[in-house]
Amino acid sequence: KDMVKFQSVMWQGMLMSAGLPTTDTVIYHGFITGEGGIKMSKSIGNVISPSEIVKEYGTDALRYFLLREISSFEDSPFTMERFKDAYNANLANGLGNLVSRILTMAESYGVKLGNLEGPAIPVKQWLEVFDVKRAMDEIWWHINDIDKFIAEKKPFSLYKTEPDKAKSDILVTLQRLQGIALAIEPFLPETSKKIKKLILDNKKPEKPLFLRKG
């Protein structure tokens, strides 16, 4: 947001002088702040190394936090405590655990999809207004809703008495997981690719997509 003057006036003038069209929209986001709400700055020394986070948690974990836990427009804090809490709750225990549960059931009970077309998750409306956080929230609403579906239907228990009904419920979760994989592709490309391959191979993950951290 401290680049408002440059982006709104000087940059447009540079585009015009180069004979290029000016931008019709300029979006300003807030600062990423550290402890105490102070803007992160190398001169202050309150920065966090992204390369160190990627080394331990992976690229998609950092992408997730920046895209969902950091506001698209306002100032937002980035602390390792917040990062770890979000990682464990929404990636390790959330998306990663859901993938393992669904693919374990699908592999065990022989439920398989023949294509990679899943039910669409409406994120385009939020991306068109540059609200990436709302787009991510929409995806995670569906992740949580699939979890609720499994908890209510209990296909792993139902299979003992009504295997056909259980398989039908597992197919629903597999189709919806497919939709999740497609929706997260622009945001978490590595994770999207892994989930698509697991679905095609009808295999549960050999190791968690996101290993829980202490």
Side-chain angles (χ1 to χ4, degrees), residues 95-211:
L95 177 58
N97 185 56
L98 180 67
V99 171
S100 293
R101 294 178 72 189
I102 293 175
L103 268 299
T104 296
M105 291 189 294
E107 181 181 356
S108 299
Y109 306 140
V111 180
K112 188 173 183 179
L113 292 180
N115 58 62
L116 277 178
E117 294 180 5
I121 295 176
V123 297
K124 184 180 178 182
Q125 59 181 319
W126 301 119
L127 296 180
E128 287 178 343
V129 294
F130 308 99
D131 200 338
V132 180
K133 183 185 184 316
R134 288 292 294 272
M136 294 287 278
D137 286 343
E138 182 76 30
I139 295 170
W140 253 260
W141 183 90
H142 284 270
I143 290 171
N144 293 329
D145 194 57
I146 300 170
D147 259 332
K148 291 178 184 177
F149 179 87
I150 294 173
E152 291 172 2
K153 299 293 185 179
K154 295 183 173 60
F156 44 86
S157 297
L158 185 63
Y159 187 80
K160 299 172 185 177
T161 55
E162 299 181 63
D164 289 342
K165 178 65 171 66
K167 285 184 176 183
S168 177
D169 289 341
I170 294 168
L171 182 61
V172 169
T173 66
L174 198 56
Q175 289 172 328
R176 294 189 66 185
L177 179 62
Q178 198 176 41
I180 297 293
L182 295 172
I184 66 171
E185 186 173 7
F187 313 103
L188 310 179
E190 294 177 4
T191 303
S192 171
K193 185 177 180 180
K194 289 176 184 177
I195 296 174
K196 290 176 185 176
K197 188 174 189 316
L198 289 168
I199 293 174
L200 276 175
D201 294 344
N202 197 39
K203 294 288 185 183
K204 63 183 178 183
E206 294 181 2
K207 60 181 180 179
L209 293 183
F210 299 97
L211 187 64

Side-chain angles (χ1 to χ4, degrees), residues 48-69:
I48 296 174
S49 170
S51 59
E52 290 301 315
I53 295 176
V54 168
K55 189 184 300 182
E56 182 175 355
Y57 294 89
T59 305
D60 276 5
L62 182 57
R63 289 173 66 102
Y64 165 81
F65 190 88
L66 292 173
L67 293 172
R68 188 181 184 210
E69 305 297 333

Side-chain angles (χ1 to χ4, degrees), residues 30-44:
F31 296 134
I32 296 179
T33 62
E35 296 286 351
I38 301 172
K39 174 188 172 184
M40 278 195 180
S41 167
K42 282 194 243 182
S43 58
I44 297 175

